[in-house]
Amino acid sequence: MVDCIIVGHNDGDFPAQVDMVAGMGRDSGAYRDLSLAFMQWEGVPTRALDFLTRQQVKDGYGDDRRYHNLEMLWPTITYLGSFLARHGYSFDYVNLFQDEKEQFAAKLADEPLAVAITTTLYVTPDPAVEVVRFVRDHSPKTKVIVGGPFVANYARQTTRPAFSQVLNLVGADVYVVSSEGESTMVNVLAALREGKSLRGIPNVIFREDGEWVFNDERIETNVLDQNMVDYSLFGKSLGQFVTLRTAKSCPFSCAFCGFPARAGKYVYLPLELVERELDRIREQESVTSLTIIDDTVNVPKVRFKEILRLMIRKNYGFRWNSFYRSDHGDDETIDLMAEAGCEGVFLGVESGSDTMLKAMNKTARRHNYMRAIPRLRQAGIISHANLIIGFPGETKETVDETRGLLAEAQPDFFRPQLWYADPITPIWERRDEFDVSGSMFNWRHRTMTSDQAADIIDDMFLSTPDSLWLPQSGFELWSVFYLMRRGMSLDQVKQYVRAFNAAVGENVGRSTPVEVSAGAVDRLLERAQFKPVRVGSAP
């Protein structure tokens, strides 16, 4: 019997997600944000990769793998699985729940001791609820454990009675409340294996005699250099796309972000261990694309340059992408990145206004982005500028500065997001200073409301000619490289995304979405006519 099956991600039923968010009101910030990522096609809300999946079937290409924004082995599986194996526990995994239900049911038939459900990208309980019910239907005796950011965030944002209602809704047996959680999982599995109570295990919530028991919370820290991935455990499952973590947490304290407070002290691997990780990835012959998931991979600067020179010297052969902090780089860094195989970077620009960057407690300033973005383009590195609209203090003038940055620097892709008023972020402690009221995507402060910010974002979607809007939901910067591995050129990807955005744009400003026009579909079909390449084969 397997000790634990790890479930990577449940992409869920997107049309059902749209209906749920629409239930908050089609004029709500949450719906307006989501609506810029799909078109209404044949009566169904359809995202950029969904269209390609449905169309390839009609065209009879015979490529039976759907286009998926998460077509990689989920990082939680590789890291948690390696940790469990290192501590003497057997594990299996289901990477993408919607695609692997039949295999999952077969694995549950052997009644594993536990199923661990990760919640890295979940913003509602629904994806976890669906997986829990599936496990109950196929293996009632198996204990279901749910952990990850969704659980941790709810624990910090709500009262205990309200949180208990969420726990009841999800329906798991055990919840792990920790920014990491690997050691907690080992302790839970040990207790389950021996038939012992979970009382006293830190960072655990469990049901006993019909009531939820909340054990004490403690900061869990698992030493990074002792908990790297054992790639031999996963074999051919790795495929073309692999993620790499060389650091944990973040050394900065941006006012809109609660991640450093949850993740603890910033730590990173020394160069020799990064080399060992890269060597092991190269041994997996299927790998062509590496995503480095460190939030601040180029901090410290000297270490990052050492890593780049290592990658150049050893000529690993795979292409890679990462986050990049523009104020912690220079021309030499960008040239080294290009030579080392970097094909794209995600830039947390947030604003083109120094006034707003200062208010956000960002260390970067406008001139850093104005220097870095053109240099990245010159070096052949794709750039994506992520932005926040409506942060406390935002005005029409500061937004105009952001528009100006996009017009002058011209990143390949951009995406402005509506500010999310989150009680676990540092700015929340200063909300009285800015007269902030409301929360999440429904707020107002002294200089702007969420409705006004959403109007600005709609206008930026329709009127930013020199950079390409990234749809985001179901399509991230990583998806650009994914489509290139599946047969598209970068120019084809851009043409396709531009045509998709035009189709989405037909519904901007409408209270009720209408069917996309035939002309918009024709333009999409014209740009989708490429020969797909099965993931796992050479492009």
Side-chain angles (χ1 to χ4, degrees):
M1 178 179 71
V2 172
D3 290 313
C4 185
I5 296 178
I6 307 169
V7 181
H9 182 69
N10 178 13
D11 194 35
D13 182 334
F14 183 69
Q17 179 188 348
V18 171
D19 287 343
M20 181 196 69
V21 177
M24 304 176 187
R26 293 185 185 274
D27 59 347
S28 68
Y31 181 80
R32 293 180 67 179
D33 186 72
L34 181 63
S35 69
L36 295 175
F38 70 88
M39 63 180 181
Q40 197 76 8
W41 182 46
E42 298 179 344
V44 179
T46 303
R47 297 169 295 182
L49 294 182
D50 298 336
F51 180 84
L52 289 175
T53 296
R54 290 166 61 187
Q55 192 55 41
Q56 70 167 354
V57 174
K58 290 184 178 183
D59 289 346
Y61 281 125
D63 185 357
D64 57 2
R65 298 279 299 271
R66 71 184 177 109
Y67 288 82
H68 201 297
N69 193 44
L70 299 167
E71 185 107 33
M72 64 173 73
L73 190 56
W74 203 237
T76 304
I77 291 175
T78 56
Y79 283 98
L80 179 56
S82 298
F83 191 95
L84 294 180
R86 200 169 284 120
H87 288 79
Y89 293 88
S90 60
F91 76 96
D92 203 342
Y93 52 91
V94 172
N95 192 40
L96 299 174
F97 173 75
Q98 294 295 334
D99 291 359
E100 301 172 39
K101 290 182 179 179
E102 186 175 337
Q103 299 95 310
F104 193 15
K107 293 175 180 182
L108 290 171
D110 293 331
E111 296 187 334
L113 178 65
V115 166
I117 300 171
T118 64
T119 62
T120 305
L121 298 181
Y122 301 163
V123 294
T124 71
D126 302 85
V129 170
E130 185 180 10
V131 181
V132 171
R133 290 176 179 170
F134 188 91
V135 177
R136 299 288 190 227
D137 289 343
H138 291 85
S139 184
K141 295 181 180 179
T142 295
K143 295 296 183 181
V144 182
I145 307 167
V146 175
F150 176 79
V151 177
N153 290 344
Y154 254 97
R156 289 165 175 79
Q157 292 180 23
T158 61
T159 62
R160 185 158 291 183
F163 186 35
S164 296
Q165 291 180 354
V166 175
L167 303 182
N168 289 332
L169 174 63
V170 174
D173 300 295
V174 183
Y175 296 88
V176 175
V177 184
S178 175
S179 61
E180 296 191 20
E182 292 96 331
S183 292
T184 303
M185 273 294 301
V186 165
N187 293 333
V188 169
L189 290 176
L192 294 178
R193 184 189 275 181
E194 298 172 16
K196 294 182 178 179
S197 171
L198 301 182
R199 282 190 177 273
I201 300 177
N203 305 320
V204 165
I205 302 169
F206 68 101
R207 189 187 290 278
E208 186 174 81
D209 298 327
E211 300 291 335
W212 290 109
V213 177
F214 292 76
N215 290 347
D216 292 339
E217 293 187 34
R218 300 178 194 168
I219 295 176
E220 177 182 321
T221 302
N222 301 301
V223 181
L224 187 62
D225 60 8
Q226 295 178 14
N227 295 291
M228 297 188 293
V229 173
D230 181 351
Y231 293 99
S232 67
L233 296 170
F234 304 98
K236 294 181 179 179
S237 297
L238 288 173
Q240 279 191 271
F241 307 102
V242 170
T243 58
L244 171 66
R245 178 184 69 181
T246 77
K248 290 196 301 186
S249 192
C250 175
F252 302 98
S253 300
C254 298
F256 54 81
C257 179
F259 175 65
R262 296 192 303 269
K265 183 180 178 181
Y266 180 59
V267 294
Y268 49 83
L269 291 175
L271 181 66
E272 60 270 20
L273 292 185
V274 175
E275 180 178 10
R276 193 174 80 183
E277 283 281 87
L278 292 170
D279 287 349
R280 289 179 174 178
I281 291 171
R282 178 164 59 181
E283 291 170 2
Q284 318 307 312
E285 296 180 355
S286 63
V287 176
T288 64
S289 299
L290 176 67
T291 297
I292 303 175
I293 58 177
D294 304 355
D295 288 76
T296 49
V297 65
N298 61 313
V299 179
K301 290 183 282 189
V302 172
R303 171 184 178 266
F304 185 54
K305 288 183 179 181
E306 290 175 343
I307 292 173
L308 296 174
R309 293 187 178 104
L310 163 70
M311 297 176 79
I312 293 167
R313 184 174 70 254
K314 303 199 76 168
N315 190 25
Y316 285 106
F318 40 68
R319 304 285 283 166
W320 57 275
N321 61 90
S322 69
F323 294 92
Y324 181 75
R325 285 193 169 260
S326 298
D327 57 325
H328 282 70
D330 52 30
D331 289 355
E332 181 189 27
T333 300
I334 292 173
D335 289 339
L336 288 171
M337 290 165 64
E339 190 177 354
C342 179
E343 60 183 341
V345 291
F346 183 106
L347 307 174
V349 173
E350 319 311 354
S351 178
S353 164
D354 282 345
T355 299
M356 293 308 302
L357 292 171
K358 183 177 179 180
M360 293 173 176
N361 201 34
K362 293 278 292 183
T363 58
R365 293 294 182 264
R366 180 189 178 93
H367 70 87
N368 296 126
Y369 302 124
M370 290 300 301
R371 175 66 183 173
I373 294 171
R375 280 292 289 114
L376 288 164
R377 181 169 58 252
Q378 183 182 24
I381 298 173
I382 299 166
S383 64
H384 166 71
N386 216 59
L387 305 165
I388 295 173
I389 301 296
F391 188 82
E394 187 88 272
T395 64
K396 178 183 180 300
E397 289 71 28
T398 61
V399 170
D400 286 345
E401 290 183 83
T402 298
R403 292 178 187 269
L405 183 142
L406 292 174
E408 293 178 51
Q410 298 184 16
D412 293 279
F413 298 93
F414 80 106
R415 177 62 159 90
Q417 295 178 289
L418 184 63
W419 175 56
Y420 185 78
D422 189 340
I424 66 172
T425 57
I427 190 61
W428 197 255
E429 300 300 319
R430 301 172 58 198
R431 62 189 181 278
D432 292 341
E433 177 184 340
F434 296 95
D435 293 335
V436 175
S437 60
S439 63
M440 298 184 287
F441 285 127
N442 182 21
W443 47 262
R444 64 172 53 246
H445 52 69
R446 189 178 302 121
T447 56
M448 192 168 286
T449 69
S450 53
D451 286 343
Q452 291 170 334
D455 287 342
I456 290 169
I457 292 170
D458 283 352
D459 186 65
M460 294 178 75
F461 175 87
L462 296 170
S463 64
T464 305
D466 298 315
S467 296
L468 191 55
W469 177 282
L470 203 68
Q472 189 179 27
S473 180
F475 196 101
E476 303 283 352
L477 178 62
W478 179 85
S479 305
V480 174
F481 314 124
Y482 167 70
L483 287 177
M484 290 169 69
R485 297 298 98 81
R486 292 198 72 163
M488 279 186 170
S489 67
L490 175 60
D491 184 59
Q492 283 179 308
V493 173
K494 287 186 172 183
Q495 288 186 38
Y496 176 74
V497 172
R498 195 175 298 280
F500 177 78
N501 289 340
V504 172
E506 294 184 347
N507 269 315
V508 171
R510 294 181 182 271
S511 58
T512 303
V514 299
E515 184 75 8
V516 64
S517 68
V521 172
D522 288 343
R523 286 188 290 274
L524 269 172
L525 291 175
E526 179 184 348
R527 287 158 178 78
Q529 298 304 311
F530 68 100
K531 185 178 180 181
V533 176
R534 181 181 298 278
V535 173
S537 62

